[in-house]
Amino acid sequence: MSKLLLIDDEKAIVRVLSISLKSDGHEVVTAYSGKEGIEVFQRESPDIVLTDIKMPGMDGLEVLKTVKELNPDTEVIMITGHGDMGSAIEALQYGASDFVNKPVRDEVLAIALERAKEKLLMKRKLREYTEDLENMVWIATEEVRRKSEFLDKLITSSNDGIVATDEGGEIIIFNPGAQKIFGYSKIEVVRKMGINDVCPPEIGEYFKQALEHKTIFKESDWKEIMISSKNDQKVPTRFSGSILYEKDEPIGSVGFFQDLTEIKRLERNLIESERLAAIGQTVAGLAHHIKNILSGLKGGAYVVKIGLDKDDTNKVRAGWKMVERNVGRVSELVLSLLTYSKVREPEYKVCLPNEIAEDVCMLMETKAEEHDIKIVKDFDASIGKVSLDSDTVHRTLLNLVSNAIDACIFDADETKKWRVRVKTVLEDNEMIRFEVIDNGCGMNEEIKKNLFTSFFSTKGGKGTGLGLLVTRKLVEEHGGKIDVSSKSGKGSTFIIQLPYSKAIH
C-alpha cells in the first residue's frame, strides 16, 4: 500500500478520487492548492503525488519542481485537462512519472499508479543494490589494504634483502635488508636504478633473459654470490631469484639476498680454532719429524765424512745425496708449515682452470713416466674464464696429483696399468669440480680416518704429513670442500669443489 497526496483545486474531484483510491487500498492525503500541497507533502512524505496542472497560485509544474527538489525519489503524476498536452510534456521533462487526462478514468489512473509504484520499487532496489555494492567495495578495499600493509610489513621487517623489479627491470622494491647489503638507500634506488645497477652482472643477465625473451623461468636454487656494495665493500651473500608472471606473461622479478658476513666470520673463527688446536698436536709431531730429518742429515754428513777420510768419491756422493734429500724434506716441511699456520684470504683473479690443470699435469708428467704411470686429462671444455684463486687451485691439484702418482708407485700389484686421471667439471654454472682419480694402492678405513691428521703419512719418511692438511685448509679458505673415496687395492678419488664467479669480458 502506498501513501498518496492528491492535489486539486476542484474539491469534488478530490473527494471522488480520494474515495476511489482508498477503496483500492491506498492511504490518501489531500490538498486543494499547490502551496497547501507542498505543506502536506513536507508533513506526510507521501510516495506518490497526484497534482492538477492548472491551479490558481502555485500550479502543478511548480508543485512538481518543488517536490523533486525536496525528494527526487517521489513519483509525481500530473492530472491534465483538455488542451494541456504541452504542459504535460513539459512536466515529463521535469521528472513527472506519468500524466492522466480529466475526467480521470479509474483504469487509466490505476495503470499510472502501477507504473509509479514499479518505478519506486526499482529505485528502492537500485538504492539497496548500490548500498550493498558500496559496502562490498569497501570490504574488498579494506581487505586489499590489509593485505597490502601485511606484505609491506613482511618485506620491511625481513632480515633478507629483497629487490623486486617491474617487467622492464626497473627496481620498485628495495627493503631495509637490501639497503644494508648493497649500501644504497631506498630513495636512491626505487624507480631510479635498474637491477643491473646494483646486482652482479650474472644476476642482471638472469633476469634480463627471462624478462626480455618472456620465457618461463623456474625459481633459482640458492647459491653463494659476492656483492659489491656502494662503497665497494665485498659482501658474501646467498641469492635466490624468481620471475613474477601474470597469465604466463612476465610482469617483474624478485631477488632474495641473505647476508653471510657473520656466518663467514664464524666459519673463519671455527677454522682458526681448529687450526690453533691442531698447532698443539703439530708441535709434538713436528719435533718428532725434525728429529727424523736431522737423523737423516747426520747420517748423510757422516757418510760424506767417511768418504772424505777414505778419499772414497762414491761414499761422498752417496752421503751427499742423503744430505740433499733431507734438505729437500726440511724445505718442503717449512713451506707446508708456513702455509698451514698463516691465515690467508683467497686472491680472486681471472684465470682458466683447465690451463692450471694442464700445467699441473705437465709438471708431474716426468715423474709419472719414470714409473710407467699414464696421466689422463679429462677437462670440461665449457669452462672458460672464471674468477678463482689460481694459486689455491694450482697448489691443491699439484699435491693431489703427486699423491696419486705415489699411490701408484706404492701399489704392489704390478699387473696393473697405472693411471692418474685429472678431471674438471662445471657444475650448474656456480661450482667447479676437480677430480684426481688413481688406480693405485688405495686406502683402508683406518688410513682414511686419519687422512687429515697432522703428520700422518703413508709415505714413511718421504712425506711430511702436512700435504693434505694444507690442501684442505686452502680449499676451505676458498669456500670449497674436499671429499675422498678410496678402496684398498683399487685406488682413490679426491674431489675438490670450489665456488667461482664467471669472469666478465
Side-chain angles (χ1 to χ4, degrees), residues 113-351:
L113 288 172
E114 192 62 32
R115 288 175 184 166
K117 286 192 285 186
E118 287 179 1
K119 288 184 178 180
L120 287 172
L121 180 63
M122 289 298 294
K123 285 180 180 178
R124 184 166 61 251
K125 287 184 176 179
L126 181 61
R127 185 167 54 252
E128 291 173 353
Y129 176 77
T130 302
E131 290 174 353
D132 188 51
L133 184 62
E134 289 175 349
N135 187 49
M136 290 172 65
V137 170
W138 182 84
I139 292 173
T141 302
E142 282 298 301
E143 182 65 13
V144 170
R145 184 189 59 77
R146 192 183 65 80
K147 288 184 177 179
S148 177
E149 288 181 354
F150 176 80
L151 290 175
D152 185 60
K153 289 179 180 177
L154 187 69
I155 292 171
T156 303
S157 61
S158 173
N159 287 327
D160 292 348
I162 300 176
V163 181
T165 75
D166 59 14
E167 69 277 12
E170 189 176 66
I171 294 175
I172 55 175
I173 292 177
F174 199 72
N175 77 334
Q179 295 177 57
K180 183 179 177 183
I181 292 173
F182 291 92
Y184 293 96
S185 68
K186 183 178 178 180
I187 296 176
E188 289 179 290
V189 173
V190 172
R191 295 293 182 192
K192 295 176 182 174
M193 299 176 77
I195 192 71
N196 286 316
D197 296 324
V198 297
C199 291
E202 56 266 40
I203 294 180
E205 187 63 23
Y206 167 79
F207 287 132
K208 181 182 176 184
Q209 289 294 325
L211 295 175
E212 289 188 355
H213 299 286
K214 299 185 178 181
T215 51
I216 302 298
F217 271 54
K218 295 180 180 177
E219 182 176 335
S220 68
D221 295 330
W222 285 99
K223 63 179 180 180
E224 291 191 12
I225 194 162
M226 192 67 72
I227 297 294
S228 292
S229 71
K230 178 183 178 183
N231 299 322
D232 290 331
Q233 290 184 336
K234 301 295 182 185
V235 182
T237 64
R238 286 179 77 229
F239 162 77
S240 177
S242 182
I243 303 300
L244 307 176
Y245 294 95
E246 185 176 87
K247 296 180 180 178
D248 294 339
E249 285 291 322
I251 59 172
S253 65
V254 59
F256 303 94
F257 300 84
Q258 295 179 344
D259 191 342
L260 299 180
T261 303
E262 183 62 15
I263 293 176
K264 292 295 181 184
R265 187 186 68 78
L266 293 174
E267 286 180 352
R268 287 195 298 272
N269 288 347
L270 179 61
I271 293 172
E272 179 66 7
S273 299
E274 291 177 347
R275 187 182 67 82
L276 291 173
I279 284 177
Q281 300 174 355
T282 302
V283 170
L286 184 61
H288 179 72
H289 202 69
I290 291 176
K291 182 181 174 184
N292 290 338
I293 296 175
L294 283 174
S295 296
L297 283 171
K298 286 180 180 178
Y302 177 76
V303 173
V304 169
K305 183 176 181 301
I306 294 297
L308 291 173
D309 291 344
K310 294 182 178 181
D311 198 20
D312 186 340
T313 307
N314 289 333
K315 277 196 176 299
V316 171
R317 286 177 178 165
W320 184 244
K321 283 186 178 178
M322 291 175 63
V323 171
E324 282 186 322
R325 188 164 58 247
N326 283 283
V327 167
R329 291 171 61 193
V330 170
S331 176
E332 185 180 351
L333 176 63
V334 170
L335 287 175
S336 295
L337 282 172
L338 285 173
T339 302
Y340 186 61
S341 60
K342 183 180 178 183
V343 176
R344 177 179 178 272
E345 290 290 333
E347 296 178 0
Y348 293 92
K349 56 186 176 183
V350 177
C351 62

Side-chain angles (χ1 to χ4, degrees), residues 427-490:
E427 293 184 328
D428 300 328
N429 283 322
E430 58 184 52
M431 299 287 284
I432 289 183
R433 188 172 77 244
F434 300 93
E435 296 182 9
V436 178
I437 309 160
D438 70 75
N439 63 341
C441 60
M443 294 176 283
N444 58 31
E445 292 301 319
E446 184 66 22
I447 293 176
K448 281 201 296 184
K449 182 180 177 183
N450 294 293
L451 204 56
F452 294 100
T453 303
S454 58
F455 296 105
F456 175 81
S457 175
T458 59
K459 302 177 185 177
K462 294 183 179 179
T464 63
L466 291 173
L468 285 177
L469 274 179
V470 170
T471 297
R472 188 177 68 173
K473 172 180 175 289
L474 292 172
V475 169
E476 289 179 345
E477 285 175 340
H478 203 292
K481 64 179 182 179
I482 180 169
D483 292 314
V484 58
S485 61
S486 182
K487 193 171 182 180
S488 183
K490 299 296 183 182

Side-chain angles (χ1 to χ4, degrees), residues 1-7 21 26-30 37 40-41 44-51 63 67-68 71 73-79 96-98 109-121 123:
M1 184 177 68
S2 303
K3 179 184 277 189
L4 306 181
L5 169 59
L6 177 59
I7 308 172
L21 291 170
H26 297 291
E27 180 183 356
V28 181
V29 291
T30 60
V40 173
F41 177 80
E44 298 291 340
S45 299
D47 304 309
I48 301 172
V49 174
L50 290 93
T51 180
V63 171
V67 165
K68 286 294 182 181
N71 185 356
D73 290 340
T74 303
E75 294 300 329
V76 179
I77 299 173
M78 309 303 292
I79 302 173
S97 64
D98 214 333
L109 180 59
I111 293 172
L113 288 172
E114 192 62 32
R115 288 175 184 166
K117 286 192 285 186
E118 287 179 1
K119 288 184 178 180
L120 287 172
L121 180 63
K123 285 180 180 178

Side-chain angles (χ1 to χ4, degrees), residues 349-385:
K349 56 186 176 183
V350 177
C351 62
L352 291 164
N354 286 346
E355 281 193 359
I356 298 173
E358 176 74 32
D359 185 60
V360 169
C361 291
M362 288 180 62
L363 287 173
M364 301 306 298
E365 205 165 50
T366 302
K367 181 181 177 181
E369 288 176 353
E370 286 176 356
H371 297 87
D372 199 22
I373 301 167
K374 183 178 182 181
I375 294 180
V376 179
K377 292 173 280 190
D378 183 5
F379 301 156
D380 187 343
S382 66
I383 303 177
K385 290 181 178 179

